[in-house]
Amino acid sequence: MPKQAPEERKSNFDEVALGYSEEQALAEASRCLGCKNPRCVKGCPVGVDIPGFIGLVKERRYVEAARRIKETNSLPAVCGRVCPQESQCQMSCVLGVKGQPVAIGRLERYAADYERSSGAQGPARTTRGGGRVAVVGSGPSGLTVAAELQKKGHQADVYESLHAAGGVLMYGIPEFRLPKDIVQAEIEYVKGLGVNLHLDSTVGRLLTVGELLRAGYDAVFIGSGAGLPHFLRVPGENLKGVYSANEFLIRTNLMKAYRFPEYRTPITVGRSVAVIGGGNVAMDSARCALRLGGEKVYIVYRRGKGELPARLEEAENAEEEGVEFMYQTNPVRFIGDDRGYVTRMECVRMELGEPDASGRRSPSPIKGSEFLLDVDTVIVAIGQSPNPIIQQTTDGLEATRWGTIVVDEETMATSISGVYAGGDVVSGAATVISAMGAGKAAAASIHNYIEKRGQSAT
Amino acid sequence: MYQVTEKRDVPPNIKMFKVRAPAVSRKAAPGQFVIVRTDERGERIPITIAGAEPEEDTVTVYFAEVGASTRDLGRLGEGDGILNFSGPLGNAIPVKGYGEVLCVAGGVFQGVNLYLAKALRGEGNRVTCVQVAKGMDHLFLVDEAREACDESYAVVDDDEGGGLKGLVARLLDEKKMSRVFTFGPVPMQRAVAELASARGVPSSVNLYPVMVDGTGMCGACRVTVGGATRFACIDGPEFDGASVDFDELTSRLRYYTPQEKIAMVLNERGVI
Ligand SMILES: Cc1cc2nc3c(=O)[nH]c(=O)nc-3n(C[C@H](O)[C@H](O)[C@H](O)COP(=O)(O)OP(=O)(O)OC[C@H]3O[C@@H](n4cnc5c(N)ncnc54)[C@H](O)[C@@H]3O)c2cc1C
Ligand SMILES: Cc1cc2nc3c(=O)[nH]c(=O)nc-3n(C[C@H](O)[C@H](O)[C@H](O)COP(=O)(O)OP(=O)(O)OC[C@H]3O[C@@H](n4cnc5c(N)ncnc54)[C@H](O)[C@@H]3O)c2cc1C
Ligand code: FES
């Protein structure tokens, strides 16, 4: 797929991957064998009819192709851009056994982009008459639950604490990987199904889960995500210039700090930037830091290249743009100047031992290998736990000691009758499509729950 | 949109807004705050709730125009809409029977203090209130405090300590206070907390570090309390005054001073 050249893109926030031309899309679609028993569909957590939509692309019926995807996936332009297809649908493609699998994600993106820019109207609002469901959080899980319930004839009301809907799609994933107007267009589609969206509404503060149930909702779905940032807990971490990845990304993406002062939220990026961590969040942070003027941007990761949890494609993109990787290195403290800004970071080299429970080799510090790195900005991207407000304010809601909400894996039902949960708040930080898969499962069981209640009431 | 239903100027640079936000007005409690965004380009500005009028569907706030964002907000007039008004956020201060309490507020926080003082008095506490400002003409809500509290004092104090410290020390020595509550600039809250600690009186300080989301997602608001990092937006804003690392808080509040100055100058000149 065509991309912006690294030299150019590292100084703008425009989308990096440019998408297929019609010719390219048709050529790629023609490779699909249209298997009778498609394995790719089983690899998709929401079960998109992949051969079906690709068949429509082959016939140049792009709007219908997009509609076919939307029968099972309300956010195709998003998923076409950010899903790890290489470990899901495309991994199962039979063509992949001998050569390249069909580029399903890119075709999904093509169809969805075509439909959006053609201005084709979405389906009409579905009829009402079913139950009422409150959905907490407007990330991929919440949007999916809401859209699916609406399609089944229920009324879904989404409560979102931020001023924009979309969850990580809006505040976390940068503009150059996922343009925000595309996210908003897909949210408009979900709203078009009849979903009500209440922004500025933090559940647990403005309304509790119990109050939602008492206010007449038949069921509540909690999709509040994993947004609580972890810190390293080393000295100097509260110096100015040390950010959590979430803060750095929220300022950049949601608040558009790259357009300060026209947009009022400031951000500081010095000449030398160290990003701690090796996942996708670290890659996104590093690439934002470059675009915000960082001259030297390092990824500081405690294990080796082979252990990088980030998608290969994202690590490659970062490397192409000039991000430098320091493997087997871990910060032990941050040192500041007399005004309290970070200026240096003491690191230690790590050696890798036997594989641990996660199957990755566990790192341990090499004594005496400490060294100093000059840094003006540090971004800590070592993981997130679930947002805690709901767990703290909902009596009887069972959670683990890591803050994840406990659910029945099949029905997504929590310990409270009528309350369901899914996405990152249940699994811990995962993927867009797994959150959507959880949303789909929850919507199905909420539907059953409401139907059953209706029957026992009559 | 959340409509400004009433606006008042308070010298030198403070604005009082009543904002129509029915759901927030039914839920708000002393110590909690809202996050306000004036328009599409706006910052998320945290402001403490200084009153809630559920019968009128409104929430009252007082804010000082100290930079570009608060000036943008202050330009709105009665009838204008605020784009976002999210709350109530943060933990409410536990309002219960303490006995004899002292409520000390500096600068813009008089309304916030009075909101708490009234609630505490409603629970049967005996409330003494101290109001501090940098100049005689900067004191406000003085009559209201006199009416709402059992005792009230207003002092002018321009060196963040002198007159205020003497008065608070005297009040703490004269009466057996069960607890001190304080709102205001960091040096003032710190001074009050230290006076209380020196006399073994528990103090509740209210911390206002830089915030972004206000829901625990960014960690911008981290403060060190009792040696541990806490997030002021979800663990506070109220903390035990004896345990707070005020030096770190002061330093972190100056994080964006260079950027703020640029924004302020451009804003004053009408460039942004
Ligand atoms: C920087 C970054 C990059 C990523 N890149 C990718 C990628 O390329 N591909 C991929 O598949 N995955 C990626 N992920 C992971 C993916 O984004 C998440 O797994 C997914 O968004 C989880 O969806 P969710 O619906 O569970 O929660 P979220 O997307 O986190 O949404 C939760 C929403 O709930 C709201 N909320 C929280 N608490 C409350 C409350 N009390 N009341 C009301 N609302 C509340 C939040 O404000 C938020 O909007 C990335 C994550 C990050 C952080
Ligand atoms: C939980 C909370 C509650 C608050 N309640 C109120 C309130 O009721 N009334 C009110 O007037 N202000 C309150 N503040 C402070 C207010 O949010 C800031 O003054 C405002 O964000 C400044 O924005 P600005 O762009 O106009 O000024 P900036 O340009 O950002 O700052 C100008 C000056 O104000 C100082 N400043 C910036 N942020 C803060 C802050 N968080 N606290 C103190 N000083 C700051 C800067 O150091 C600088 O000197 C509260 C802050 C928090 C975190
Ligand atoms: S303001 Fe973001 S965590 Fe407190």
Side-chain angles (χ1 to χ4, degrees):
Chain A
M1 184 161 53
K3 283 195 208 172
Q4 268 198 79
E7 263 319 298
E8 204 168 301
R9 72 184 194 232
K10 70 180 201 194
S11 49
N12 70 50
F13 272 84
D14 300 340
E15 195 169 12
V16 167
L18 301 173
Y20 277 156
S21 64
E22 183 173 8
E23 273 173 359
Q24 289 170 317
L26 287 170
E28 187 62 28
S30 72
R31 297 178 56 230
C32 175
L33 302 176
C35 305
K36 282 266 151 1
N37 224 329
R39 297 201 297 182
C40 50
V41 178
K42 296 198 189 80
C44 172
V46 298
V48 167
D49 175 6
I50 295 168
F53 99 77
I54 296 183
L56 290 162
V57 171
K58 285 182 191 166
E59 297 170 29
R60 300 177 188 239
R61 290 154 67 188
Y62 308 120
V63 172
E64 285 161 81
R67 296 278 158 78
R68 180 66 60 85
I69 305 171
K70 282 185 175 174
E71 283 169 15
T72 42
N73 178 339
S74 302
L75 311 171
V78 169
C79 289
R81 287 173 166 80
V82 303
C83 271
Q85 290 96 5
E86 68 279 6
S87 55
Q88 303 189 76
C89 53
Q90 290 176 195
M91 189 167 84
S92 324
C93 176
V94 284
L95 291 185
V97 179
K98 286 210 180 114
Q100 284 295 315
V102 174
I104 300 166
R106 292 172 183 183
L107 290 170
E108 179 182 32
R109 168 178 169 162
Y110 184 79
D113 286 0
Y114 186 96
E115 187 207 21
R116 193 179 60 256
S117 53
S118 73
Q121 289 295 310
R125 277 166 164 262
T126 40
T127 47
R128 302 261 289 275
R132 290 176 67 222
V133 180
V135 175
V136 182
S138 63
S141 67
L143 290 173
T144 301
V145 170
E148 293 292 314
L149 285 169
Q150 209 72 35
K151 288 183 198 161
K152 293 181 205 288
H154 305 290
Q155 175 60 49
D157 294 350
V158 177
Y159 292 86
E160 165 58 51
S161 64
L162 292 173
H163 60 259
V168 170
L169 308 178
M170 279 309 281
Y171 80 73
I173 304 180
E175 177 79 17
F176 55 82
R177 279 215 293 132
L178 181 62
K180 301 307 149 215
D181 53 351
I182 290 175
V183 179
Q184 288 310 312
E186 302 225 309
I187 289 169
E188 282 306 312
Y189 164 78
V190 173
K191 279 163 75 179
L193 297 169
V195 171
N196 291 321
L197 194 55
H198 301 280
L199 301 174
D200 298 335
S201 304
T202 306
V203 173
R205 300 278 192 222
L206 186 64
L207 289 155
T208 61
V209 171
E211 284 166 340
L212 288 168
L213 288 171
R214 285 195 290 280
Y217 283 108
D218 297 293
V220 175
F221 173 80
I222 305 170
S224 50
L228 182 80
H230 292 176
F231 284 95
L232 292 153
R233 296 167 184 260
V234 301
E237 197 161 29
N238 292 348
L239 288 166
K240 290 172 284 192
V242 182
Y243 285 105
S244 74
N246 256 14
E247 180 181 359
F248 191 77
L249 293 169
I250 290 175
R251 284 181 183 270
T252 310
N253 301 314
L254 183 67
M255 306 311 296
K256 297 201 167 23
Y258 59 92
R259 293 174 65 180
F260 178 85
E262 182 203 354
Y263 282 74
R264 297 288 191 267
T265 305
I267 196 160
T268 58
V269 176
R271 290 154 63 120
S272 174
V273 182
V275 180
I276 319 299
N280 288 316
V281 181
M283 300 306 143
D284 281 344
S285 303
R287 298 174 71 195
C288 283
L290 270 180
R291 285 163 174 77
L292 286 160
E295 288 169 19
K296 282 265 175 208
V297 178
Y298 303 98
I299 292 270
V300 178
Y301 180 52
R302 59 193 182 130
R303 306 187 210 232
K305 185 168 186 171
E307 283 84 12
L308 271 185
R311 284 175 77 187
L312 187 62
E313 185 185 335
E314 296 309 330
E316 280 172 4
N317 274 328
E319 198 159 11
E320 267 175 31
E321 289 167 12
V323 173
E324 291 174 40
F325 288 71
M326 292 175 81
Y327 295 111
Q328 291 178 237
T329 305
N330 210 29
V332 291
R333 69 180 172 124
F334 300 102
I335 303 162
D337 62 13
D338 53 3
R339 293 172 312 141
Y341 286 90
V342 67
T343 53
R344 282 182 301 169
M345 172 166 106
E346 184 177 319
C347 299
V348 65
R349 299 277 183 209
M350 308 293 278
E351 62 189 348
L352 298 179
E354 292 301 304
D356 63 9
S358 73
R360 293 177 305 175
R361 290 182 295 158
S362 59
S364 54
I366 303 173
K367 270 212 179 68
S369 68
E370 289 81 4
F371 67 100
L372 289 170
L373 184 71
D374 286 338
V375 290
D376 309 297
T377 306
V378 174
I379 303 165
V380 181
I382 58 166
Q384 287 110 242
S385 334
N387 287 329
I389 295 179
I390 295 191
Q391 292 83 321
Q392 286 166 0
T393 55
T394 312
D395 290 335
L397 184 67
E398 198 187 328
T400 65
R401 68 193 171 93
W402 298 278
T404 53
I405 297 176
V406 177
V407 297
D408 175 310
E409 274 174 34
E410 242 159 68
T411 63
M412 312 309 283
T414 68
S415 55
I416 303 176
S417 168
V419 178
Y420 297 75
D424 281 4
V425 74
V426 166
S427 60
T431 61
V432 171
I433 197 70
S434 59
M436 293 178 71
K440 219 174 155 79
S445 45
I446 292 171
H447 175 70
N448 289 340
Y449 172 80
I450 293 174
E451 298 270 287
K452 261 201 211 128
R453 264 184 113 192
Q455 280 160 11
S456 58
T458 51
Chain B
M1 281 284 189
Y2 302 81
Q3 197 187 36
V4 179
T5 62
E6 202 182 318
K7 176 181 183 179
R8 209 148 32 90
D9 277 304
V10 181
N13 63 348
I14 295 171
K15 298 273 186 292
M16 188 282 293
F17 274 6
K18 275 194 179 186
V19 179
R20 190 181 305 287
V24 186
S25 76
R26 288 194 290 274
K27 224 30 199 308
Q32 291 187 296
F33 61 95
V34 288
I35 286 202
V36 175
R37 213 166 62 111
T38 309
D39 57 36
E40 225 18 87
R41 295 170 306 163
E43 217 174 338
R44 291 173 63 91
I45 316 170
I47 306 182
T48 313
I49 297 169
E53 305 79 29
E55 62 292 343
E56 293 165 32
D57 285 345
T58 57
V59 172
T60 303
V61 291
Y62 289 80
F63 62 94
E65 294 188 16
V66 291
S69 293
T70 41
R71 284 169 58 103
D72 289 342
L73 183 63
R75 282 195 199 100
L76 299 182
E78 284 178 8
D80 289 344
I82 300 177
L83 186 56
N84 299 102
F85 191 85
S86 171
L89 296 170
N91 296 309
I93 294 175
V95 172
K96 54 185 186 192
Y98 295 95
E100 180 93 45
V101 296
L102 181 62
C103 297
V104 187
V108 66
F109 291 93
Q110 306 307 331
V112 171
N113 192 37
L114 216 49
Y115 183 34
L116 174 69
K118 285 179 190 164
L120 286 171
R121 203 150 177 246
E123 283 297 307
N125 294 288
R126 189 173 182 286
V127 181
T128 303
C129 162
V130 174
Q131 299 174 290
V132 203
K134 292 207 164 159
M136 239 358 232
D137 47 346
H138 299 171
L139 283 164
F140 64 104
L141 296 176
V142 174
D143 293 340
E144 289 82 349
R146 194 171 301 136
E147 203 157 297
C149 302
D150 295 283
E151 257 175 74
S152 78
Y153 301 85
V155 289
V156 171
D157 190 328
D158 45 19
D159 64 357
E160 308 279 13
L164 173 70
K165 275 191 188 163
L167 175 63
V168 170
R170 180 165 67 77
L171 290 169
L172 286 170
D173 290 336
E174 278 172 9
K175 301 207 178 76
K176 178 91 196 71
M177 297 286 179
S178 313
R179 194 171 192 90
V180 181
F181 298 88
T182 176
F183 305 89
V186 177
M188 186 220 96
Q189 292 203 58
R190 176 183 208 158
V192 171
E194 281 169 3
L195 290 169
S197 298
R199 291 159 178 80
V201 179
S203 64
S204 133
V205 295
N206 288 271
L207 306 188
Y208 307 120
V210 174
M211 291 187 177
V212 185
D213 60 295
T215 63
M217 296 202 327
C218 75
C221 64
R222 56 198 195 274
V223 289
T224 301
V225 182
T229 294
R230 311 292 300 276
F231 289 3
C233 68
I234 50 171
D235 300 324
E238 184 205 27
F239 290 99
D240 168 30
S243 316
V244 170
D245 182 342
F246 287 104
D247 288 331
E248 181 184 276
L249 175 65
T250 306
S251 168
R252 287 186 62 82
L253 271 170
R254 298 197 185 116
Y255 201 147
Y256 295 100
T257 307
Q259 286 83 356
E260 284 155 0
K261 280 190 184 140
I262 297 170
M264 182 70 166
V265 171
L266 295 177
N267 195 265
E268 271 170 355
R269 295 194 186 148
V271 180
I272 58 162

